[in-house]
Amino acid sequence: MNEPIITPDAPEPVVTAADPVPAPVNRIPTPKAPAPDILRCAYMELVVTDLEASRKFYVDVLDLVVTEEDENTVYLRSFEEFIHHNLVLRKGPVAAVAAFSYRVRSPEELDKAVAFYEELGCRVERRSEGWTKGIGDSVRVEDPLGFPYEFFYDVEHVERLAWRYDLYTPGALVRLDHFNQVTPDVPRAVAYMEDLGFRVTEDIQDEAGTTYAAWMRRKPTVHDTAMTGGDGPRMHHVAFATHEKHNIIAICDKLGALRRSDAIERGPGRHGVSNAFYLYLRDPDGHRVEIYTQDYYTGDPDNPVVTWDVHDNQRRDWWGNPVVPSWYTDASLVLDLDGNPKELVSRIDDSEMDVTIGADGFSYTRKGDEEQGFKLGNTL
């Protein structure tokens, strides 16, 4: 196991040249088959219990663009997208996630996806016609962590609205940025995702070497997905980007004007991890949506990795604002390929909430501070 890199005299945060996440105890075997070449996170398929209410939230409030819809499904995209959709809302009996979907570099990568996951002993299904409108030949798997992953290349192109400033609203969502997944064993998840071709950009650890979360990317930003420690498999959030932070403030003002401020769970604020400006919302089913902007470029092969102390009060919010408990405890169920909710596996390692905002938790703004001011220690 790696030596812990969070120490009493370590910098805040620690910057290293390579992945600092400790090796997992129960490692998922590395397939001999090559991994598919993933370009980016592309869309999420959400199951919602009230399609009309969800449509109003994502279209009338967040201004996502309707590509196509029928009585059971709404296909939505962001303003700069040219593929058919970034978000699918499908009516169903249980609110959950049906697919975390990634686009791959070529049609041949789907053969690699099948071989990669079959070698891991995962359930794999391939449909030449795809699972959703606008997406062709696709592979869906129940991955080793229990998540429903999809890989596709063939897609229907639609009008990219980047130049349609007549349609833009003050809070326009321009791109799908990332997913965030809840899983009990973060080092195990990181090693598997690295086998899939992802790279760590940032993570959170403590002096014992416990890893609480890791941010991993394929496109050259901070992440396409993050692995957050907790009972899983669950979906923590799906994130859409705006151009500027003032777009996020406009969304808050709009929610207030519509008397829907109760949809705001956390923020607005700026993250320490990722440096991005953020806002967390909850949709009518409780699915968490992040609005996100202004992270940084990570595409160089020697991009440094940033590790934060779990007790650093600025890791989650750069201004030191407290994290609401629901952000740590609540997340969406995920479905197997038959549409049934996956059984949860409990996290055994320490909980980030318990070690930072629980009864004995302590967070610092400057190392060595002992007195508990209004932002130190128990932040509940």
Side-chain angles (χ1 to χ4, degrees), residues 128 154 268-269:
S128 59
D154 293 333

Side-chain angles (χ1 to χ4, degrees), residues 203-222:
D203 68 292
I204 296 175
Q205 298 188 34
D206 62 18
E207 292 184 18
T210 302
T211 305
Y212 295 87
W215 285 254
M216 307 192 74
R217 65 95 177 168
R218 285 295 298 172
K219 68 183 186 303
T221 63
V222 171

Side-chain angles (χ1 to χ4, degrees), residues 46-340:
L46 281 181
V47 178
V48 299
T49 59
D50 186 334
L51 188 60
E52 181 181 1
S54 292
R55 188 191 190 282
K56 287 180 179 178
F57 178 79
Y58 287 101
V59 178
D60 298 343
V61 177
L62 294 185
D63 297 309
L64 285 172
V65 178
V66 177
T67 302
E68 194 171 348
E69 61 185 322
D70 57 38
E71 61 182 7
N72 293 312
T73 315
V74 182
Y75 298 89
L76 303 171
R77 72 183 191 276
S78 51
F79 272 80
E80 293 184 355
E81 188 57 82
F82 71 94
I83 71 171
H84 188 267
H85 55 261
N86 296 131
L87 184 67
V88 178
L89 305 176
R90 177 165 58 81
K91 186 177 181 180
V94 178
V97 177
F100 300 76
S101 187
Y102 293 95
R103 196 169 192 209
V104 296
R105 190 170 298 276
S106 69
E108 292 72 30
E109 302 304 320
L110 298 184
D111 295 330
K112 294 180 182 178
V114 170
F116 183 88
Y117 282 100
E118 284 185 345
E119 187 174 339
L120 286 171
C122 297
R123 181 178 174 185
V124 179
E125 289 191 14
R126 185 170 184 173
R127 291 185 184 178
S128 59
E129 72 281 10
W131 271 262
T132 61
K133 290 184 178 180
I135 304 293
D137 191 10
S138 307
V139 173
R140 284 195 179 185
V141 304
E142 293 175 21
D143 83 355
L145 305 178
F147 292 97
Y149 265 24
E150 179 182 85
F151 305 94
F152 73 93
Y153 176 78
D154 293 333
V155 66
E156 178 184 333
H157 287 198
V158 294
E159 181 187 3
R160 175 177 270 161
L161 300 173
W163 299 273
R164 289 297 307 274
Y165 293 106
D166 56 314
L167 300 178
Y168 273 57
T169 58
L173 306 183
V174 294
R175 291 182 299 278
L176 175 68
D177 191 84
H178 62 265
F179 309 135
N180 188 306
Q181 303 169 234
V182 183
T183 189
D185 187 335
V186 175
R188 186 170 185 260
V190 166
Y192 150 66
M193 293 297 284
E194 288 178 329
D195 287 343
L196 194 53
F198 286 74
R199 294 179 61 185
V200 175
T201 58
E202 302 201 27
D203 68 292
I204 296 175
Q205 298 188 34
D206 62 18
E207 292 184 18
T210 302
T211 305
Y212 295 87
W215 285 254
M216 307 192 74
R217 65 95 177 168
R218 285 295 298 172
K219 68 183 186 303
T221 63
V222 171
H223 55 321
D224 284 273
T225 197
M227 295 295 174
T228 295
D231 299 349
R234 292 182 296 165
M235 186 274 286
H236 191 274
H237 64 264
V238 58
F240 287 88
T242 64
H243 279 307
E244 301 286 349
K245 57 182 177 289
H246 69 77
N247 302 123
I248 289 178
I249 295 170
I251 293 171
C252 293
D253 282 340
K254 183 175 182 179
L255 286 162
L258 294 173
R259 287 285 171 175
R260 299 193 63 167
S261 60
D262 55 344
I264 300 173
E265 179 186 35
R266 182 180 164 211
R270 185 176 293 281
H271 286 308
V273 175
S274 82
N275 195 47
F277 203 80
Y278 72 86
L279 173 69
Y280 291 98
L281 306 175
R282 302 291 286 272
D283 81 359
D285 277 295
H287 295 308
R288 185 180 288 108
V289 182
E290 182 181 16
I291 316 300
Y292 181 95
T293 192
Q294 298 181 339
D295 62 351
Y296 58 91
Y297 171 79
T298 62
D300 286 13
D302 55 350
N303 180 71
V305 181
V306 181
T307 299
W308 297 79
D309 185 341
V310 71
H311 295 290
D312 186 340
N313 207 36
Q314 296 184 193
R315 74 200 183 282
R316 291 291 189 183
D317 185 277
W318 186 239
W319 308 331
N321 291 321
V323 181
V324 294
S326 62
W327 193 91
Y328 287 117
T329 59
D330 296 359
S332 298
L333 296 173
V334 303
L335 304 179
D336 63 21
L337 297 188
D338 294 320
N340 301 310

Side-chain angles (χ1 to χ4, degrees), residues 2-21:
N2 303 357
E3 289 295 321
I5 65 171
I6 299 298
T7 62
D9 58 350
E12 304 167 320
V14 179
V15 179
T16 54
D19 174 10
V21 176

